[in-house]
Amino acid sequence: MKPGKVSLIGAGPGDPGLLTIKGRDCLESADVVIYDYLANPVLLGYARPDAELIYVGKSRGHHSVPQDQINQMLVDKAAAGLNVARLKGGDPYVFGRGGEEASLLHRHNIPFEVVPGVTAGFAAAAYAGIPLTHRDITTSLALLTGHERPERKLSNLDWEKLATGLGTLIFYMGMTNLKMIGEKLIEHGRPADTPVAVVQWATLPRQRTLTGRLDEIADQVAAAKIAPPAVIIIGEVVRYREELRWYDNLPRFGRRFLITRPRAQAASFVALLQAQGAETICIPTIEIAPPDDWKPCDQALSQLNNYAGLILTSANGVDAFFDRLSSQNLDLRALAGVEIIAVGPKTAKAIEKHGLKPDFVPQSYRAEGVVDELLARGVNGKRYLYPRTEIARRLIPDSLTKGGARVDAPIVYRTIAPEGKQEMIRHLLESGELDAICFSSSSTFDNLHTLFGEELHQLKKKTAFFSIGPLTSETIRKHDFEVALEPENSTLDDLVMAMVEYYCDREE
Ligand code: SAH
């Protein structure tokens, strides 16, 4: 059998936006993804839903999978004809044992490629506001490991050359040896007041940066309890941080939001929060699927001229309805004379995309508004078509029927829990670092609760639940959770504005 290809991919330092486009392309096409502790699991969202995801990093209380086992896995999977994305933190060829993995693949005649990533040292410098070289100060830069391997003692490094022959030094894996690194450099000629920055969890909302003098930094780090992963940047360039920091002083820096929608549907929301320094993670907790049976819908489509009005209450419903219309060989002319009613502006926009303008949108953007308006005009004897999701409320059909109308409510789509995203969501929930989860419908909450009830309950004190509107809030409360925020109008834009206010109130 022809072996698959292995891509050694640099995942970057943490911020998911720092993955390269080529890295993303590899992830999207891989059959198997093998990923490390330092690779942001959010990136797994790019993997195919049916891709096998294998975590080989440390997990609570467990050691990471030994390197020779990882090697074997790479060889076995590729030999079985599968394309493997080997996702490694930072850059695969910088202190990442990427060289060892590539050599092994070469020995087994397995085709491979290497996709560079943004290495932690460079990323930490950028996000802490430290230019690594500077014409006025330093023209050279070294990347070093501060990890002491028993057989090759750190003390064997040529400290004199490091201390005096090079400009900026970046130590990886140096936290346990920080004291000794400082002492050795000073002993061999670096001034004791050389500025040092220690950057932990660079590029992530939990980034922490400590600066100090070479002779004092180890004690400061111990006092501040800064643990790995962190890089140590040593050199005069560190002084620029004061002037050039831009990331960790953004107003929403350090906040992490989970948005239960596909990124494409929350673009403006995400852009606003990111511009303020927050990390936004978009993972849909629902997926759209077709109904089990199209017959009721098709029957309605074959007699559209019988309807006085078409009531649409979600963008998904709109798309499903119009797609079906066209797949039944019909077009917009079939809707001539039918009044088009949209529950809110997003639904209206979705309708416009299909080339029609809704006749009205209620002011409250809710089903109640649709019902009130129609009843006020009188519905007796009229027939309405209400294409809906499987779990839609009965409010519209029940109320209109009471008013004497006939309502056909065929199912045009179903919402289902997405497969393949669960591992990623579990990681996020367990990390305990979500400031808030934004729920944009009852089903987004219901699905998350069904899949991760226990984990959600553990989040109770730490994570705020933001809800898009009254129905979603009701669902959240029904499960015994508090709703921290609900905007006056039920749109994502209103939710962002409410969130901005929410945090401003807290920060004052
Ligand atoms: N291949 C990786 C390095 C792996 S070695 C790269 O190119 O970045 C692991 C070390 O990388 C850690 O001990 C720490 O020094 C550094 N590191 C990785 N991610 C980091 C991050 N987000 N912030 C700070 N240091 C990080």
Side-chain angles (χ1 to χ4, degrees), residues 21 53-54 112 117 142 212 234 237 246 261 294 303 313-314 326 339 371 483:
I21 292 171
L53 307 178
I54 306 174
F112 68 90
I234 303 173
V237 285
W246 58 271
R261 294 213 156 193
W294 277 111
Q303 40 169 344
T313 55
S314 76
S326 126
E339 187 177 32
V371 167
V483 174

Side-chain angles (χ1 to χ4, degrees), residues 324-343:
R324 190 66 188 172
L325 181 84
S326 126
S327 75
Q328 292 300 95
N329 265 332
L330 293 165
D331 63 25
L332 296 181
R333 286 170 297 175
L335 285 164
V338 180
E339 187 177 32
I340 313 283
I341 299 144
V343 73

Side-chain angles (χ1 to χ4, degrees), residues 13-14 38 88-96 118-121 124 171-174 199-204 228-231:
L38 287 171
K88 300 172 77 72
D91 181 279
Y93 276 4
V94 179
F95 306 127
V118 179
T119 189
F171 279 92
Y172 289 64
M173 297 173 282
V199 188
Q200 183 197 29
W201 287 120
T203 77
L204 289 166
V231 291

